[in-house]
């Protein structure tokens, strides 16, 4: 087996294990499932296209693209399943997470350390903005109810 194939297999196994762990321990879904839905497909696409946009810009475009794709996939899967629920979100995450082993198989990697260092100020501003949005949504829009979280 080639090194790329071994890496793709390892990532696929880690993805399956992570999704299973998040299913069994629901609070872990925020750490495991959300990044898959919010960043992975867009990041893999931006990297595959070998964009000349800087890291912060690629990350922003990756989030926008991922959110657009993941919300549509969850929407259509919920129609196919007949309802919206946790299982639908996990199926969508598993489907979108397949971009990771495919990227590994094709030799598409993540950002290099030097690129991360150069983008630190822009990434810090992005993180602060994301925290403000999360805090705003957490205070004003998301409400815990007995069946889960209500948004609206």
């Amino acid at each position: 087996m080639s090194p790329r194939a071994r890496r793709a297999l390892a990532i696929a196994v880690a993805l399956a294990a992570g999704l299973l762990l998040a299913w069994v321990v629901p609070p872990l879904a925020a750490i495991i499932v959300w990044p898959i839905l919010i960043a992975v497909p867009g990041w893999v696409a931006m990297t595959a296209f070998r964009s000349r946009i800087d890291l912060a810009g690629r990350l922003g475009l990756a989030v926008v693209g991922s959110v657009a794709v993941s919300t549509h996939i969850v929407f259509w899967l919920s129609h196919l399943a007949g309802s919206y629920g946790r299982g639908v979100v996990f199926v969508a995450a598993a489907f979108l997470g397949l971009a990771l082993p495919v990227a590994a198989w094709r030799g598409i990697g993540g950002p290099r350390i030097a690129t991360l260092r150069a983008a630190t100020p822009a990434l810090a501003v992005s993180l602060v903005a994301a925290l403000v949005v999360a805090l705003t949504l957490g205070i004003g829009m998301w409400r815990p109810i007995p069946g889960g979280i209500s948004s609206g």
Side-chain angles (χ1 to χ4, degrees):
M1 185 181 296
S2 72
R4 284 185 180 178
R6 272 195 301 274
R7 188 169 18 144
L9 180 60
I11 290 171
V13 169
L15 175 67
L19 289 172
L20 179 63
L21 184 62
W23 183 266
V24 173
V25 184
L28 291 178
I31 299 167
I32 297 170
V33 176
W34 289 5
I36 294 170
L37 296 174
I38 293 173
V40 167
W43 180 261
V44 170
M46 291 300 297
T47 305
F49 292 136
R50 302 195 195 305
S51 172
R52 294 184 305 188
I53 300 170
D54 70 342
L55 180 65
R58 277 185 284 162
L59 182 59
L61 288 172
V63 168
V64 169
S66 294
V67 168
V69 169
S70 65
T71 54
H72 283 86
I73 289 176
V74 169
F75 175 79
W76 288 110
L77 283 175
S78 68
H79 279 288
L80 288 173
S83 68
Y84 170 80
R86 188 168 166 236
V88 169
V89 173
F90 271 77
V91 168
F95 176 72
L96 292 171
L98 290 175
L100 292 171
V102 169
W105 185 288
R106 294 186 59 210
I108 299 170
R112 303 204 188 314
I113 297 296
T115 307
L116 286 171
R117 282 191 190 128
T120 299
L123 292 174
V125 169
S126 300
L127 179 62
V128 169
L131 290 173
V132 168
V133 169
L135 183 63
T136 302
L137 290 174
I139 291 171
M141 191 170 169
W142 294 331
R143 298 275 181 246
I145 59 173
I149 301 290
S150 172
S151 65

